[in-house]
């Protein structure tokens, strides 16, 4: 029995010493010297220490680049201010003495801001040198990385923005024209989308616009008529009683593509970056769109026996599933006047001959 207890004790001691020895080998202390001071890290042998050093370099390079961009922006701003002052002197709106004073003040303000930003950047770099946090490219949001890289590109040729449009809408065809629709709020076109724009010329005066757009066409026939639902062939029919509203609506998803020509303002920064801007410039364009019809419905509002009734019939029409057409616009800045026409028939062959025509204003 005593022998068994002794063996058990020896086994336990062996396990304990082995475990302690293993723990000692789990990591080792790495020491870096930063500005004459020791910075200690635990190296677990899994590559964390190397990644941490890469992370430091990444952060330091980013901070240095951000300061370079900031200084370039400020110097470019100063150059623009001096050009404005010179223009005022040339036009007799400012004396040479006043101009010199203004230039000196602007130059001093810019120099002070650049120096303050440099001091801030150097402090952040010193902090980055001694931090033990890990910030590798894999841990940074991809969208943030893209925005970060775009900020330092020499020239940006593709931009994106939201678009929104609103206007008047009617149908044209063998037996339809603008006179068949009133000018009330129920004959409307609206659109919401996301657009990309890519420059295709060196000065960015020629551009391609493309994207995705939701659009809705609303029409209301005059003369107490509607498009007949639940029939093999949609026709124009009289409703037979008075209505407050009899609105036909289609919702569509389309993919527009336009070529655009317009003015641009070129801005060159001290570090060689070039940016183009279209604010305050005229532009015009034309193109087309393709897509598909999402839904069709007719909404009736009327009174019967003293009761107010709302009736909606959905997807009960002989409509074409595909959508395509042409679009043209002219505008100033972010606003354009547009005109567009669906070349596809709203309804299939044998039904009412009708194509949408829309015009209005669009933000793009």
């Amino acid at each position: 029995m005593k022998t068994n207890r002794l063996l058990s004790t020896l086994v336990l001691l062996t396990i304990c010493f082995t475990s302690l020895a293993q723990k000692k080998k789990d990591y080792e202390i790495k020491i870096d010297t930063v500005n004459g001071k020791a910075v200690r890290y635990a190296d677990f042998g899994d590559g964390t220490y190397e990644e941490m050093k890469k992370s430091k370099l990444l952060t330091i390079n980013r901070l240095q680049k951000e300061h370079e961009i900031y200084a370039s922006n400020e110097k470019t701003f100063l150059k623009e201010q001096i050009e404005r002052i010179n223009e005022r002197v040339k036009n007799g709106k400012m004396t040479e003495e006043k101009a010199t004073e203004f230039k000196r003040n602007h130059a001093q303000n810019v120099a002070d801001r650049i120096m303050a930003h440099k001091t801030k950047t150097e402090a952040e770099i010193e902090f980055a040198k001694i931090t033990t946090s890990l910030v590798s490219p894999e841990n940074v949001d991809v969208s943030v990385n893209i925005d970060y890289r775009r900020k330092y590109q020499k020239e940006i040729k593709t931009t994106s923005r939201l678009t929104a449009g609103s206007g008047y809408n009617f149908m044209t065809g063998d037996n339809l024209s603008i006179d068949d629709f009133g000018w009330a709020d129920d004959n409307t076109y609206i659109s919401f989308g996301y657009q990309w724009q890519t420059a295709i010329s060196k000065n960015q005066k020629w551009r391609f616009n493309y994207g995705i757009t939701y659009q809705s066409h609303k029409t209301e026939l005059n003369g107490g008529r509607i498009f007949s639902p639940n029939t093999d062939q949609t026709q124009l029919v009289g409703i037979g009683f008075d209505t407050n509203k009899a609105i036909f609506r289609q919702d569509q998803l389309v993919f527009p593509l336009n070529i655009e020509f317009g003015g641009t303002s070129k801005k060159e920064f001290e570090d060689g970056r070039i940016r183009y801007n279209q604010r305050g410039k005229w532009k015009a364009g034309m193109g087309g769109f393709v897509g598909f019809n999402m839904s069709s419905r007719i909404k009736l509002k009327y009174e019967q026996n003293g009761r107010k009734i709302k009736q909606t019939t959905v997807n009960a029409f002989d409509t074409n599933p595909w959508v395509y057409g042409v679009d043209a616009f002219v505008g100033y800045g972010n606003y354009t006047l547009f005109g567009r026409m669906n070349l596809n028939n709203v309804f299939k062959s044998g039904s009412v001959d009708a194509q949408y025509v829309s015009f209005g204003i669009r933000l793009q």
Side-chain angles (χ1 to χ4, degrees), residues 97-358:
E97 293 77 11
K98 202 67 176 176
T100 301
E101 181 185 352
F102 270 45
K103 290 177 186 178
R104 187 185 301 114
N105 289 336
H106 280 305
Q108 187 59 54
N109 289 337
V110 167
D112 290 343
R113 286 197 295 270
I114 292 175
M115 183 55 67
H117 191 273
K118 182 179 180 180
T119 302
K120 179 180 79 73
T121 302
E122 288 175 346
E124 290 175 341
I125 289 175
E126 289 306 309
F127 176 76
K129 287 178 179 178
I130 63 171
T131 187
T132 58
S133 61
L134 179 62
V135 185
S136 63
E138 292 79 8
N139 294 335
V140 179
D141 183 17
V142 173
S143 62
V144 174
N145 252 336
I146 292 172
D147 291 341
Y148 175 76
R149 289 196 299 268
R150 280 174 61 84
K151 183 178 178 181
Y152 304 124
Q153 280 182 311
K154 182 176 180 181
E155 184 177 346
I156 295 176
K157 292 189 176 182
T158 298
T159 57
S160 61
R161 72 205 72 180
L162 294 171
T163 66
S166 178
Y168 183 75
N169 179 70
F170 67 97
M171 292 183 191
T172 184
D174 289 342
N175 298 308
L176 288 173
S177 69
I178 193 171
D179 295 330
D180 290 288
F181 303 89
W183 289 90
D185 294 338
D186 296 326
N187 293 291
T188 57
Y189 167 87
I190 62 170
S191 67
F192 300 96
Y194 197 81
Q195 173 185 282
W196 287 268
Q197 183 177 90
T198 298
I200 55 175
S201 65
K202 188 175 181 181
N203 54 12
Q204 298 202 4
K205 292 184 182 295
W206 288 95
R207 288 94 64 167
F208 271 134
N209 297 336
Y210 50 95
I212 182 170
T213 299
Y214 158 82
Q215 61 182 24
S216 180
H217 297 273
K218 289 171 65 178
T219 53
E220 184 172 25
L221 288 159
N222 54 28
R225 297 171 297 166
I226 63 170
F227 297 110
S228 60
N230 300 311
T231 57
D232 291 337
Q233 293 183 338
T234 302
Q235 301 296 325
L236 290 172
V237 297
I239 198 166
F241 54 88
D242 292 332
T243 62
N244 296 324
K245 287 185 183 296
I247 302 170
F248 180 74
R249 189 184 101 193
Q250 283 194 304
D251 296 330
Q252 301 167 346
L253 194 67
V254 298
F255 304 89
L257 172 63
N258 293 298
I259 186 168
E260 177 181 297
F261 175 80
T264 57
S265 296
K266 182 179 180 181
K267 185 173 183 177
E268 296 186 56
F269 291 86
E270 291 291 319
D271 59 357
R273 284 176 298 132
I274 298 173
R275 295 292 182 267
Y276 291 90
N277 195 290
Q278 299 169 29
R279 283 195 296 268
K281 301 295 182 180
W282 287 96
K283 59 186 174 183
M286 62 182 301
F289 56 89
V290 295
F292 57 90
N293 190 53
M294 299 168 66
S295 67
S296 304
R297 69 190 66 207
I298 191 166
K299 186 175 183 179
L300 302 177
K301 287 185 180 181
Y302 56 94
E303 292 186 13
Q304 189 177 69
N305 299 324
R307 296 171 55 205
K308 292 183 177 180
I309 297 175
K310 296 180 180 180
Q311 180 181 330
T312 302
T313 305
V314 182
N315 294 335
F317 304 90
D318 188 32
T319 55
N320 273 316
W322 302 109
V323 176
Y324 53 92
V326 293
D327 176 273
F329 60 88
V330 61
Y332 182 79
N334 292 328
Y335 294 93
T336 60
L337 298 175
F338 71 86
R340 59 196 287 121
M341 180 176 181
N342 283 42
L343 298 179
N344 65 287
N345 289 322
V346 176
F347 305 101
K348 293 180 180 177
S349 177
S351 294
V352 179
D353 179 51
Q355 300 86 39
Y356 286 116
V357 177
S358 310

